[in-house]
Amino acid sequence: MQDVKQYIEQNKQRFLDELFALLRIPSISADSAYAGDVKKAAEFVAERMREAGADKVEVCPTPGHPIVYGEKIIDAKLPTVLVYGHYDVQPAVPLDLWDTPPFEPTVKTTAAHPEGAIFARGSADDKGQFYMHIKAFEYMMKTNNLPCNIKMMIEGEEEVGSSNLANFCMQNKAKLKADVVLISDTSMIANNVPSIDTGLRGLSYVEVEVTGPNRDLHSGVYGGAVANPINILAKMIASMHDEDNHITIPGFYDEVMQLSEVERNELNKAPFDMADYKTDLNIADVWGERGYTILERTGIRPTLDVNGIWGGYTGEGSKTVLPSKAYAKISMRLVPNQSSDKITALFQKHFESIAPASVKVVVKPHHGGEPVVTPTDSPAYLAAARAMEITFGKKPIPTRGGGSIPIVAMFEKELGLKSVLMGFGLDSDALHSPNEHYGIFNYLKGIETIPYFFSNYAKAYLG
Ligand code: BES
Ligand code: MN
Ligand code: MN
């Protein structure tokens, strides 16, 4: 039986080259101009799954982008792990802020990654992370070390809300029958401080339109007498946080689960260095809800943030105009037990109520997702914790992730499956930002750790 470390050492260059080939495909799900590339990425993933030894590999079409599915069932008496990931990526814009082209993977070192990191859109989120599972599966197949059944489902619409995957799951409950979901699409604290996310925030996302006069006006002729929708929108947005940076939407916090002092103390035990945090982001101070630490603000508290705002003249030079319309895209991160639909409705009602009579407002809801917490005492969590302990030499710390993976709550609701969020990225990997990267250490460590999850889980399951 060949050791996983040895197998990685022998195949390291190929593992990197294959990931690079996947990273060269610009599978941007949000932009229909890239639909052909999204499909190409799906086929690439399917082919690699087949080569690694999966059966029944299919590229399942959906009304949107396809879902790649493959499995290896070795014994119905053994447990089944459903691996989930996504091969789609966020748009790479603004391109001029990238130091190297987003779809030409380039290795460079960083402070957090002295062994080198792969710079490319999707390297950490999530191509580099789900691809570890295909390579770990390859190892288990080639060396006769697969200790349980595996089903792999890699989708192409995570970054746009996973709406077709939700339908696919509901229509394929028997096919997706499993004991647990294993996902690598989150971060750890640091390369020498392993951690496992035990929760994700939900999301409510809206677009607002504020209309003033029926046409753009001369800002000198009409300015001062007619409401400027951009000024009004800015004021409305500013009013949604109070002096303590609490969100002012009535009822917003009604269902927020309050953690006990013991739970909060536990959460705050995770290492966090305020000075490093500020230095990394080049900020003189942090910001947030009074009474909560940074770890709490990003882990267990809900937020409201403008993601984009536009209107009027933004071209070169100056044009004096009092615009007719202003727009913003606003996200609210949710925590247990908030509901995305309820929060969206509360937002809409409040936004309409604070609009002065001088403007009209329209609130357009986008996709959302529910928050989730995962158990830390389940056989699957313990198998993951033990796997990381073996390969990192340290027990992982349970943490709460600030991001969202809406399908995780859906797996629980529709398939009755809990997930383990064994991610290997770092928060500083610039996910969704220019110069996204993923550590080579992290990529190889993930491939090394995953087979231990499988063996630990199978052992625990069989008693
Ligand atoms: N992988 C991320 C979520 C994530 C990142 C969770 C880091 C925890 C730590 C995922 O691909 C993502 O970006 N999700 C979106 C939501 C989606 C509906 C667009 C998000 O969180 O903004
Ligand atoms: Mn992701
Ligand atoms: Mn993402």
Side-chain angles (χ1 to χ4, degrees):
M1 201 159 77
Q2 197 185 7
D3 174 67
V4 63
K5 257 194 146 135
Q6 207 182 351
Y7 189 83
I8 292 169
E9 206 40 55
Q10 282 164 6
N11 294 281
K12 186 173 152 184
Q13 197 53 50
R14 178 173 57 85
F15 286 0
L16 287 168
D17 291 341
E18 287 175 15
L19 175 59
F20 285 15
L22 175 60
L23 291 169
R24 286 193 187 98
I25 309 172
S27 49
I28 303 169
S29 52
D31 189 342
S32 56
Y34 291 88
D37 291 302
V38 176
K39 188 151 179 263
K40 231 189 260 169
E43 277 153 12
F44 179 98
V45 173
E47 204 40 52
R48 299 290 89 72
M49 265 189 200
R50 264 183 219 114
E51 283 171 5
D55 297 328
K56 296 191 182 165
V57 176
E58 339 163 45
V59 174
C60 311
T62 76
H65 301 303
I67 296 158
V68 185
Y69 179 84
E71 62 178 42
K72 188 75 199 179
I73 306 299
I74 52 173
D75 185 342
K77 288 189 292 297
L78 290 170
T80 303
V81 177
L82 175 61
V83 171
Y84 163 81
H86 63 95
Y87 67 81
D88 66 321
V89 302
Q90 287 274 325
V93 285
L95 294 178
D96 53 310
L97 295 182
W98 284 78
D99 297 329
T100 56
F103 297 104
E104 188 41 62
T106 311
V107 174
K108 282 185 287 181
T109 58
T110 71
H113 296 294
E115 286 103 342
I118 306 156
F119 282 73
R121 170 56 85 229
S123 53
D125 185 12
D126 175 44
K127 286 174 172 173
Q129 295 219 55
F130 86 72
Y131 204 69
M132 302 179 312
H133 287 268
I134 298 189
K135 294 300 97 181
F137 171 65
E138 173 195 309
Y139 159 75
M140 293 188 283
M141 289 299 291
K142 291 267 150 65
T143 58
N144 242 329
N145 268 325
L146 183 68
C148 45
N149 304 312
I150 180 170
K151 296 180 174 179
M152 291 175 276
M153 179 166 70
I154 313 297
E155 71 152 320
E157 296 189 308
E158 196 277 339
E159 300 292 9
V160 290
S162 304
S163 56
N164 289 303
L165 182 67
N167 292 331
F168 182 84
C169 290
M170 287 185 246
Q171 285 156 15
N172 290 281
K173 287 192 176 172
K175 181 196 188 94
L176 300 174
K177 196 171 175 309
D179 295 281
V180 72
V181 184
L182 179 62
I183 304 174
S184 296
D185 192 23
T186 50
S187 316
M188 329 180 278
I189 295 171
N191 282 1
N192 58 358
V193 190
S195 61
I196 297 179
D197 271 354
T198 61
L200 291 165
R201 288 196 284 191
L203 183 67
S204 179
Y205 200 109
V206 297
E207 186 170 325
V208 298
E209 180 191 271
V210 179
T211 306
N214 60 1
R215 59 187 186 276
D216 284 5
L217 303 172
H218 188 290
S219 63
V221 175
Y222 289 97
V226 175
N228 179 325
I230 302 182
N231 295 9
I232 302 280
L233 175 59
K235 197 169 171 183
M236 290 168 76
I237 289 169
S239 78
M240 284 194 276
H241 287 101
D242 70 11
E243 295 289 286
D244 292 331
N245 294 326
H246 287 299
I247 294 154
T248 57
I249 299 171
F252 187 85
Y253 293 98
D254 283 2
E255 334 238 344
V256 168
M257 184 197 280
Q258 304 289 344
L259 267 64
S260 68
E261 278 308 307
V262 176
E263 287 171 307
R264 286 179 68 179
N265 287 340
E266 202 51 44
L267 184 101
N268 285 309
K269 275 190 197 153
F272 175 80
D273 188 310
M274 186 64 99
D276 285 354
Y277 193 77
K278 289 186 202 169
T279 308
D280 177 47
L281 301 173
N282 192 20
I283 50 176
D285 202 359
V286 294
W287 178 95
E289 190 180 0
R290 186 198 288 274
Y292 294 94
T293 64
I294 298 292
L295 291 175
E296 291 172 337
R297 288 171 184 172
T298 56
I300 56 160
R301 298 299 293 170
T303 62
L304 183 150
D305 275 295
V306 179
N307 294 243
I309 182 163
W310 69 102
Y313 184 70
T314 56
E316 198 184 330
S318 60
K319 174 191 175 190
T320 51
V321 59
L322 194 162
S324 166
K325 287 181 186 288
Y327 304 85
K329 289 182 192 278
I330 298 172
S331 68
M332 287 158 280
R333 295 284 169 174
L334 313 179
V335 299
N337 296 311
Q338 289 179 298
S339 125
S340 153
D341 284 346
K342 266 195 211 165
I343 291 296
T344 301
L346 287 179
F347 176 93
Q348 176 153 10
K349 191 167 158 227
H350 179 66
F351 198 77
E352 286 166 356
S353 80
I354 60 174
S358 51
V359 298
K360 296 183 214 48
V361 300
V362 178
V363 176
K364 199 171 105 187
H366 282 272
H367 58 76
E370 305 310 329
V372 68
V373 276
T374 63
T376 50
D377 56 358
S378 66
Y381 180 87
L382 297 171
R386 179 78 193 117
M388 282 185 132
E389 190 182 349
I390 294 167
T391 59
F392 286 84
K394 272 183 202 173
K395 266 200 177 66
I397 299 168
T399 47
R400 289 287 195 100
S404 309
I405 309 176
I407 204 69
V408 176
M410 215 279 318
F411 285 148
E412 196 164 325
K413 189 162 162 253
E414 296 298 332
L415 303 177
L417 291 178
K418 299 271 188 201
S419 297
V420 173
L421 301 163
M422 189 171 69
F424 293 89
L426 299 183
D427 281 341
S428 58
D429 285 346
L431 320 180
H432 296 201
S433 304
N435 303 312
E436 175 178 352
H437 53 279
Y438 189 44
I440 293 178
F441 166 87
N442 305 66
Y443 179 56
L444 301 177
K445 196 51 109 180
I447 301 172
E448 183 189 339
T449 307
I450 292 162
Y452 287 107
F453 169 84
F454 277 81
S455 55
N456 295 342
Y457 185 61
K459 245 181 263 159
Y461 190 92
L462 297 172

